[in-house]
Amino acid sequence: MARRKLIYEGKAKILYDGPEPGTYVQYFKDDATAFNAGKKDVIEGKGVLNNRLSEFFMNGLQQIGVPTHFIKRLNMREQLIRQCEIIPLEVIVRNYAAGTMAKRLGMEEGTQLPRPIVEFSYKDDSLGDPLVPEEYIAAFGWASQQDLDDIVSIALKVNDFISGVMYGVGIKLVDFKIEIGRVWDNDFQRLVVADEISPDSCRLWDIETGRKLDKDVFRRDLGDLADAYTEVAKRLGVLPTNTAQMPKPTLIN
Ligand code: C5P
C-alpha cells in the first residue's frame, strides 16, 4: 500500500495529498502554540474540537454563499479540502479592541470599535507576521486591488455570520483571523476562505461573564484550553464524544 504524501506540516495542522486530484486532507493536531511557537504544549482533544468547529463554520458560510475550501469532514481529525493557492496574508477582523491592537494603541481590551476593522498581516513566521498596509499588498503583488476589495467583502461577511451565530449562544466575537486561497477554474480565479475557523483563530468572550473561550486561555495561562473549546462546541451543538481518547495519526505503509 502506498504511503500518503505529506504536503506540509504547520503548527496546528498537517496537509496530505487527497484522494482525488485537486484535493488535500487536512489533519488537526493537538499541538497548541503561541507567540510564534515561543510557547508550546499538547492539549488532548483540541484537534478533534477544531475539526468539528471549523466544519461547522465553513458549512454555514457555504450555505450563505461564501465559498470556502471545505468539502467534507472525513473523520474525527481530518477533513477533505479543495487545493488552493494561499494568499500570504492573515486577514484579521476586529469588533472590539484586544490583543495586538489594544497594545499598539494603548486601548483597554473590550472597547467596542466604531465599526468592524479589517487589517492585514504578511504571513511570515520569521518576521513575526508584520501588520502591512494595503499599499504594500498591491505594490508587492501579493494580491491585486480587485482581490483586496473582494477579500474585505468576504471578511466582513464572515464577521457578520460568526458574530450572529455566536451571539445566539451567548458569546461575543471580539476578533478573528482568516486566510484566503485562490482556486482556479480553467482561466478563472475564485477566492475562497481557507485554513480553519476555530477558537484557535478567534477571540470569543462569554457575554455574561466575560470568560475567555479561545486561545488566549493558553496564551495567558487562564485555565484549561480544552474545557473552553468544549464549552463553545457544546453551545453550538457540535460536541464530539470522547475527545480526549482520539488516537494520534498513523501513516499507513
Ligand atoms: O494577536 P492579535 O490581536 O493581532 O490577533 C487578532 C486575532 O487574530 C485573534 O483572534 C488571534 O487569535 C488571531 N490570530 C491568528 N493567528 C495569528 C495571529 C492572530 O489566528 N498568527
Side-chain angles (χ1 to χ4, degrees):
M1 211 186 282
R3 178 186 284 260
R4 74 178 163 174
K5 189 171 155 210
L6 185 136
I7 303 294
Y8 173 77
E9 176 154 9
K11 286 175 281 202
K13 296 185 294 295
I14 307 175
L15 281 186
Y16 297 102
D17 212 2
E20 309 281 342
T23 64
Y24 287 143
V25 172
Q26 178 165 259
Y27 176 94
F28 287 77
K29 301 197 279 188
D30 279 343
D31 300 30
T33 62
F35 313 117
N36 205 0
K39 177 172 178 167
K40 288 186 204 178
D41 204 349
V42 175
I43 313 287
E44 279 206 42
K46 179 175 90 78
V48 176
L49 287 158
N50 281 353
N51 186 23
R52 289 281 181 147
L53 285 163
S54 203
E55 171 193 23
F56 175 82
F57 291 121
M58 296 284 182
N59 268 335
L61 285 170
Q62 254 151 220
Q63 276 167 26
I64 61 159
V66 178
T68 81
H69 72 165
F70 181 81
I71 301 173
K72 64 174 180 182
R73 187 169 58 81
L74 296 171
N75 55 48
M76 294 297 270
R77 285 185 181 275
E78 294 176 333
Q79 44 185 246
L80 187 66
I81 59 169
R82 198 174 298 283
Q83 281 182 16
C84 58
E85 196 182 291
I86 295 286
I87 296 178
L89 296 173
E90 308 215 313
V91 182
I92 293 171
V93 183
R94 300 180 189 269
N95 299 305
Y96 298 84
T100 55
M101 172 187 251
K103 202 167 167 193
R104 189 177 306 118
L105 300 180
M107 290 171 87
E108 193 179 336
E109 286 211 314
T111 308
Q112 187 163 10
L113 301 174
R115 59 182 172 82
I117 294 178
V118 183
E119 68 181 43
F120 301 96
S121 295
Y122 179 55
K123 246 175 88 68
D124 186 326
D125 281 344
S126 66
L127 299 173
D129 301 333
L131 186 68
V132 287
E134 289 194 23
E135 272 281 276
Y136 285 22
I137 298 169
F140 293 127
W142 299 325
S144 66
Q145 193 56 53
Q146 178 64 56
D147 286 344
L148 272 172
D149 294 346
D150 292 347
I151 291 170
V152 169
S153 156
I154 291 172
L156 291 174
K157 281 186 199 158
V158 174
N159 186 45
D160 284 348
F161 175 72
I162 307 180
S163 291
V165 169
M166 287 301 183
Y167 185 73
V169 296
I171 294 173
K172 188 192 269 186
L173 176 64
V174 173
D175 57 30
F176 66 92
K177 178 222 52 166
I178 50 171
E179 293 184 21
I180 301 288
R182 300 176 203 279
V183 173
W184 293 96
D185 288 331
N186 298 317
D187 285 348
F188 292 97
Q189 165 199 278
R190 281 190 306 127
L191 296 180
V192 299
V193 178
D195 192 51
E196 72 178 298
I197 300 179
S198 75
D200 267 8
S201 53
C202 301
R203 281 198 175 91
L204 304 169
W205 296 356
D206 181 79
I207 290 174
E208 283 209 340
T209 64
R211 179 183 167 199
K212 292 184 177 24
L213 298 168
D214 56 64
K215 204 160 99 175
D216 276 348
V217 172
F218 172 71
R219 293 188 189 102
R220 303 179 187 187
D221 293 319
L222 299 176
D224 189 316
L225 190 72
D227 270 3
Y229 288 20
T230 301
E231 178 64 25
V232 176
K234 239 195 234 172
R235 291 196 199 182
L236 294 171
V238 295
L239 185 68
T241 50
N242 286 335
T243 54
Q245 282 111 47
M246 287 309 116
K248 297 262 182 265
T250 40
L251 285 177
I252 299 165
N253 289 302

